[in-house]
Structures are given as structure tokens and as C-alpha cells.
Amino acid sequence: MARILNIISSPRGEQSNSIKLANAVIDRLREKEPASFVKVKDLTRNPFPHLEEVHLNAFFTPAEKYTDENRAAIQHSNQAIQEIMDADILVIGAPMYNFGISSTLKAWIDHITRAGITFKYTPEGPVGLITGKKAYVAVTTGGIYSSGDYKSFDFVTPYLKMALGFIGITDVTFIRGEGFAVSAVQETALDTAIDSIVV
Ligand SMILES: Cc1cc2nc3c(=O)[nH]c(=O)nc-3n(C[C@H](O)[C@H](O)[C@H](O)COP(=O)(O)O)c2cc1C
């Protein structure tokens, strides 16, 4: 049985291409392992706050010295990290907003990237501590970034590869749904993306 954590970062519900594509990935994973369990974390319904002073204070305070304020500020970060630890597979939906990820998804990443907890510094450089996980990222875009003039303006896939790898999640497969705003391909964009899924 695989434990799947599905991260949603589009607020568009049933209209969302990244949710549909991520769900298609989950369907394929379930075909392989029917008893898989899926936990859905919709970041748009329960958004993580931008990092504020209270969060940073808590991040850099040892647990044995927590004040009540530290404890309250760090609770959601701890929970988000535990959810990842409890999963075997992450399936992340990532719509492109202004060439990068949404601020909703970025806020979650800011709360799960913690020195001493999900990565550590060593003399050889930083080492990720969340190991043994597989991640699939359903990246959806209005334009086309796999080839052509805009290829170098995709900051979603290189950023997520780096950010997930930094905390130890190095086995990442990107599934690209692209051209949702390009009239020549928008009707077939989702099916093309679903056909490209390999799990
Ligand atoms: C605020 C906003 C910004 C966007 N920025 C871009 C962009 O920079 N490049 C692009 O190709 N598409 C852009 N799009 C289009 C979305 O990436 C595309 O519609 C995608 O399917 C959205 O995913 P979703 O359907 O899961 O919400 C943007 C859409 C929105 C709403």
C-alpha cells in the first residue's frame, strides 16, 4: 500500500487543469497499487501565511526553549512536515503563475524547508533529510515551455526540482500540461498531458 500526499495549489477546483492532471497521476498510481491511501492537502483552502517574524523566531528557537508564541507559530510547519514524512509519494499540482509557482505553493515550501529538521548543513554542504520519497509534479501552463521561444522562461520546473531536492526529495517526475491558452492545442492539452504520464 502506498501512502500518497496530494498537494493542491490551484484555487480553481473542478476547472483546474493541475488538479485534473494530478488526479490522473493518482489514478495511474492506484491502478498499480489499488490499496493506496490518498491524503489531500488543499493549500488554497487553508493557506500558509507568508513567513513573518513569529515564524522565523520559532524556526530558530530550540524546541526545549519554545514559548507559547513559538509553539503556536510553528504548529502548521510541524504538521506539514509530518504529513510529508508519513507519505511514500507526493503528487503536487503546480499551476504556473507569472512564470513561477503560485505564492500559495511557495508559502508551503517556506514552511517545510527548515534547517535541522528537513535539511542540515554539513562541511560538505547542505544535505536534505526527507529521503526515500517519490514525487510527481503536475505543472500546468497557458503557454508552451517544453520547446520554443519560451523554454527558458519556465521557472516552475527548475525551481521545484531544486527546492524539493534541497530537502531530500530528489526522485521527482514532472508531468507537463501546456498550451491551455494556445488556441491550436488548448482542446487537446489535457489529454496530451495525461497520455504522457509514466508511473
Ligand atoms: C494569475 C495567473 C498567472 C498566470 N501566469 C502564467 C504565465 O506566466 N505563463 C503561462 O504560461 N501561463 C500562465 N497562467 C495560466 C495558467 O498557468 C494556466 O491556466 C494553468 O492551467 C493554471 O492551472 P490551473 O488550471 O490548475 O489553475 C497564469 C494564470 C493565472 C491565473
Side-chain angles (χ1 to χ4, degrees):
M1 185 196 78
R3 297 163 301 172
I4 300 170
L5 178 62
N6 177 206
I7 303 293
I8 290 174
S9 67
S10 167
R12 299 201 315 124
E14 290 181 0
Q15 302 301 314
S16 161
N17 295 311
S18 60
I19 292 176
K20 288 179 194 165
L21 188 53
N23 283 340
V25 173
I26 292 168
D27 287 346
R28 295 286 299 278
L29 291 168
R30 275 183 154 155
E31 281 169 23
K32 263 175 82 175
E33 286 201 55
S36 297
F37 173 81
V38 182
K39 177 174 175 128
V40 178
K41 190 170 185 72
D42 186 339
L43 303 176
T44 73
R45 292 191 181 203
N46 296 294
F48 280 74
H50 289 171
L51 289 182
E52 295 164 7
E53 191 180 13
V54 284
H55 304 112
L56 299 181
N57 286 343
F59 285 3
F60 297 107
T61 300
E64 64 273 15
K65 293 193 175 162
Y66 281 166
T67 62
D68 287 347
E69 185 181 66
N70 292 151
R71 243 176 247 110
I74 210 154
Q75 183 190 329
H76 295 295
S77 165
N78 285 345
Q79 187 189 340
I81 291 167
Q82 192 59 52
E83 286 166 347
I84 298 172
M85 297 294 193
D86 289 344
D88 304 301
I89 303 173
L90 276 72
V91 179
I92 302 171
M96 176 185 279
Y97 281 179
N98 304 311
F99 306 104
I101 60 169
S102 65
S103 56
T104 313
L105 185 57
K106 178 63 163 57
W108 176 75
I109 290 172
D110 286 342
H111 282 264
I112 62 169
T113 307
R114 279 177 46 201
I117 308 289
T118 57
F119 74 95
K120 66 177 178 184
Y121 295 107
T122 73
E124 290 76 40
V127 173
L129 299 175
I130 305 184
T131 54
K133 312 291 178 193
K134 168 75 194 172
Y136 296 90
V137 185
V139 179
T140 55
T141 58
I144 290 174
Y145 296 84
S146 59
S147 62
D149 293 347
Y150 279 78
K151 192 172 179 185
S152 60
F153 300 120
D154 167 21
F155 298 98
V156 175
T157 47
Y159 171 72
L160 286 176
K161 189 171 164 45
M162 178 65 197
L164 293 171
F166 189 73
I167 56 173
I169 304 171
T170 52
D171 186 357
V172 184
T173 299
F174 290 93
I175 300 107
R176 220 182 250 284
E178 59 181 354
F180 289 103
V182 177
S183 54
V185 298
Q186 61 191 172
E187 295 300 324
T188 54
L190 184 62
D191 287 341
T192 304
I194 290 174
D195 287 347
S196 77
I197 296 170
V198 178
V199 299

